[in-house]
Amino acid sequence: MERKWAELEKLYDISPAQQHILFLLSTNKNQLTPTQLSELGCWHISTVTRLLKPLKANGFINVTTNKEKPRYKRVSLTAKGKQMLENLMDAARDLEQFPFDIGDLSEEEVEKFLKFGQSILDINKGDDFIKKVINARVEGYDYV
């Protein structure tokens, strides 16, 4: 699975974690705080800060500071960032067996795998995470 994400990283010069940030922003009204990104991405806040710098430098996101409370920031997806996410999603769709090959598994095995994974997430992450990450969908894309 890592190789498939690495292919996209090489092709578009954007890490899998940065790709995930674009996805999280897109599926959460194009705007989140760094703390929300930390929680939804399961990263330490220092990691989020490090990941945001190249995204901002490349014009994929804007980071704004609350004038009344300078410690509070908002990260928003730019049109360029939305286009990058669309390019990534189109490329992922075109990659054979993305993100990994499940061709040797039966439909029943795949369903069991997904059910167990969902149970683990339900227990450890809660409803908000399930809604904002697992069940999140980028508008205009069919998840099959």
Side-chain angles (χ1 to χ4, degrees):
M1 185 176 349
E2 289 293 321
R3 271 186 272 130
K4 295 291 185 176
W5 287 112
E7 287 178 39
L8 290 178
E9 179 177 9
K10 286 178 187 174
L11 188 61
Y12 290 97
D13 193 29
I14 182 170
S15 74
Q18 292 165 333
Q19 295 170 36
H20 191 55
I21 286 175
L22 297 181
F23 170 81
L24 291 171
L25 289 169
S26 175
T27 58
N28 287 278
K29 300 180 182 173
N30 296 326
Q31 194 172 13
L32 291 167
T33 66
T35 301
Q36 289 170 317
L37 285 168
S38 173
E39 292 166 1
L40 296 173
C42 303
W43 299 297
H44 188 273
I45 191 69
S46 64
T47 301
V48 171
T49 301
R50 183 179 48 79
L51 291 169
L52 294 178
K53 286 179 184 177
L55 291 172
K56 184 178 178 186
N58 288 318
F60 299 140
I61 62 166
N62 286 320
V63 179
T64 55
T65 304
N66 183 323
K67 291 176 182 160
E68 296 170 10
K69 298 179 182 179
R71 292 186 58 217
Y72 294 97
K73 296 184 173 146
R74 279 261 187 243
V75 180
S76 57
L77 189 63
T78 64
K80 186 176 179 182
K82 186 170 176 56
Q83 183 60 56
M84 173 56 79
L85 179 62
E86 290 174 4
N87 292 344
L88 290 163
M89 292 187 68
D90 289 342
R93 181 181 52 216
D94 294 340
L95 286 174
E96 192 171 316
Q97 300 165 340
F98 186 83
F100 50 86
D101 181 8
I102 59 171
D104 292 333
L105 299 175
S106 70
E107 187 174 329
E108 181 182 330
E109 290 170 322
V110 172
E111 287 177 14
K112 281 182 184 178
F113 170 77
L114 293 173
K115 184 177 179 182
F116 289 136
Q118 187 67 52
S119 294
I120 291 168
L121 287 171
D122 289 345
I123 292 166
N124 290 288
K125 296 308 269 181
D127 292 338
D128 195 45
F129 182 85
I130 300 298
K131 182 179 120 191
K132 290 185 174 182
V133 180
I134 304 302
N135 294 337
R137 298 294 180 256
V138 175
E139 193 174 312
Y141 284 86
D142 185 22
Y143 293 77
V144 179

